[in-house]
Amino acid sequence: MIPHIVYDADVLRLLDQRRIPDAVEYVELRDWQSVAQAIAAMVVRGAPAIGISGAYGVALAARAAANGPHFLDEVSRAAHGLASARPTAVNLSWAVTRLLREALDLVDAEQPPHAIAAALERSARAIHEDDIESCKRIGDAGAALIPAGATVLTHCNTGGLATGGYGTALGVIRSAHRDGKIARVLVGETRPQLQGARLTVWELLGDGIPHTLITDSMAASFMRRGAVSAVVVGADRIARNGDVANKIGTYGLAVLASAHRVPFIVAAPLSSFDPARETGDSIPIEQRDPAEVTHVAGVRVAPAEAVAANPAFDVTPASLVTAIATDRGLLRPPLDRAISGVLDEAPVSSAT
Ligand code: MRU
């Protein structure tokens, strides 16, 4: 895949995912405020990818503030501003909080601002590189659950574009395809923003993985006639009990999968788990501009006076999840116990 997040000293270049598949264009961002705007506008999207971009945003802020009198205040302002650009994916606040804590520790250790800025840049790069390795481990763990000759249904885009590279749910599909197990991927188009139709199909075409694009409303009918072997989705935030916040429409697929006895597999790195949330009830759900619902690709399809709702994510209860494929292996029910096990073994620091 072509590079989609490129950091080069004083500029962050992001592949503009709003333009895929029609154009391959990059936006150049030179300050943290522009990075926060790009995350909110979904130039870059997908939980791990916005975490990585947010970390580079903090690195940009630290570099800019290194010569001024208010270094730590500026870095802290950037971290908080970036974390609030999109509220549901915990990876964003996890990544920027990690860099902010490092800055605080290095200030305590009386390191000069330039040295701290350089350290934060290294940490942002490490988050980026680690995520690619995590995705490969997730992919291999999840592929073990995919039967030979499978038709796998996926939702939204969880691929290289949504991560540092390789993908989470799409990483599972990539690994299963490498193992010769994938007959076909059913790609839900994912209204309102069509990440499935635009981005997942683009990535599958790039890899030569057989796929069929369906509208979200076709999933039930495909499952009823036995045409789906497994549903594999990503996650924006997973609570301690295994409740999963993910792209709107995921919950509906989980209910359908349960009704048709189809395995429902979630794929996510440990950075998508939120140790501070006992259940999914308290996960903040981003509400986006209703114009994304009244319009398709910028063209209005509803009457101009239409009132529309646009919650970007929903929460799937843990009881509907068959397994979670993580970078620490497979987690199976009871998920609360399995999650406590991995979090206690390798604590994930709480986000702000
Ligand atoms: O609104 P988006 O496109 O950022 O939503 C993305 C998703 O819901 C993904 O499933 C999730 O972030 C996991 S991506 C590996």
Side-chain angles (χ1 to χ4, degrees):
M1 204 186 83
I2 55 172
H4 63 302
I5 304 173
V6 184
Y7 184 77
D8 186 10
D10 58 355
V11 58
L12 176 63
R13 288 189 185 80
L14 295 177
L15 177 66
D16 190 343
Q17 297 193 29
R18 301 168 304 181
R19 302 282 291 128
I20 301 288
D22 294 330
V24 173
E25 287 172 2
Y26 288 81
V27 295
E28 295 199 345
L29 310 166
R30 294 177 190 278
D31 53 51
W32 73 263
Q33 291 92 340
S34 317
V35 178
Q37 277 162 17
I39 290 171
M42 294 173 68
V43 169
V44 61
R45 31 67 48 206
I50 63 177
I52 294 161
S53 304
Y56 284 130
V58 177
L60 281 175
R63 176 182 265 265
N67 289 322
H70 306 296
F71 177 72
L72 198 52
D73 286 350
E74 288 297 317
V75 172
S76 171
R77 200 161 68 88
H80 288 99
L82 284 156
S84 61
R86 293 194 77 191
T88 302
V90 73
N91 310 62
L92 176 56
S93 44
W94 168 82
V96 301
T97 303
R98 187 165 143 176
L99 263 64
L100 178 57
R101 287 199 181 124
E102 184 178 349
L104 288 165
D105 288 347
L106 292 172
V107 166
D108 280 351
E110 297 182 359
Q111 291 291 309
H114 281 105
I116 300 175
L120 296 188
E121 182 178 324
R122 284 195 297 276
S123 294
R125 288 190 197 281
I127 288 174
H128 191 171
E129 283 157 21
D130 288 352
D131 186 68
I132 301 171
E133 291 312 309
S134 288
C135 284
K136 291 185 178 154
R137 290 198 294 275
I138 293 166
D140 290 349
L145 300 173
I146 306 297
T151 296
V152 172
L153 172 63
T154 192
H155 190 56
C156 196
N157 171 266
T158 59
L161 291 170
T163 60
Y166 201 70
T168 56
L170 208 60
V172 171
I173 290 168
R174 285 197 158 107
S175 293
H177 177 255
R178 175 204 62 202
D179 296 346
K181 291 174 163 182
I182 297 287
R184 183 155 297 275
V185 181
L186 292 176
V187 183
E189 63 175 349
T190 320
R191 271 286 279 152
Q193 297 236 38
L194 301 172
Q195 291 94 327
R198 296 186 300 105
L199 307 176
T200 299
V201 170
W202 187 74
E203 289 201 43
L204 291 171
L205 279 170
D207 278 13
I209 300 178
H211 59 274
T212 301
L213 175 64
I214 62 173
T215 66
D216 301 322
S217 51
M218 294 175 191
S221 159
F222 276 71
M223 284 197 216
R224 184 167 164 77
R225 55 187 165 81
V228 180
S229 322
V231 177
V232 189
V233 297
D236 284 82
R237 191 185 296 235
I238 302 176
R240 284 196 88 99
N241 71 340
D243 290 352
V244 175
N246 191 48
K247 178 52 55 194
I248 191 78
T250 302
Y251 173 46
L253 291 174
V255 171
L256 289 172
S258 168
H260 296 92
R261 299 187 196 292
V262 171
F264 183 85
I265 299 160
V266 175
L270 282 203
S271 54
S272 297
F273 288 73
D274 186 348
R277 310 271 163 180
E278 287 302 325
T279 75
D281 294 344
S282 62
I283 294 177
I285 300 295
E286 176 183 6
Q287 304 291 324
R288 293 188 62 85
D289 187 348
E292 292 174 357
V293 175
T294 55
H295 292 59
V296 177
V299 178
R300 183 166 57 75
V301 292
E305 304 78 15
V307 176
N310 192 10
F313 300 95
D314 58 28
V315 175
T316 296
S319 58
L320 298 177
V321 176
T322 308
I324 306 178
T326 77
D327 39 346
R328 297 292 170 112
L330 286 177
L331 308 183
R332 296 178 188 269
L335 288 173
D336 51 354
R337 275 230 306 268
I339 290 170
S340 289
V342 282
L343 291 184
D344 294 346
E345 193 183 293
V348 177
S349 52
S350 297
T352 44

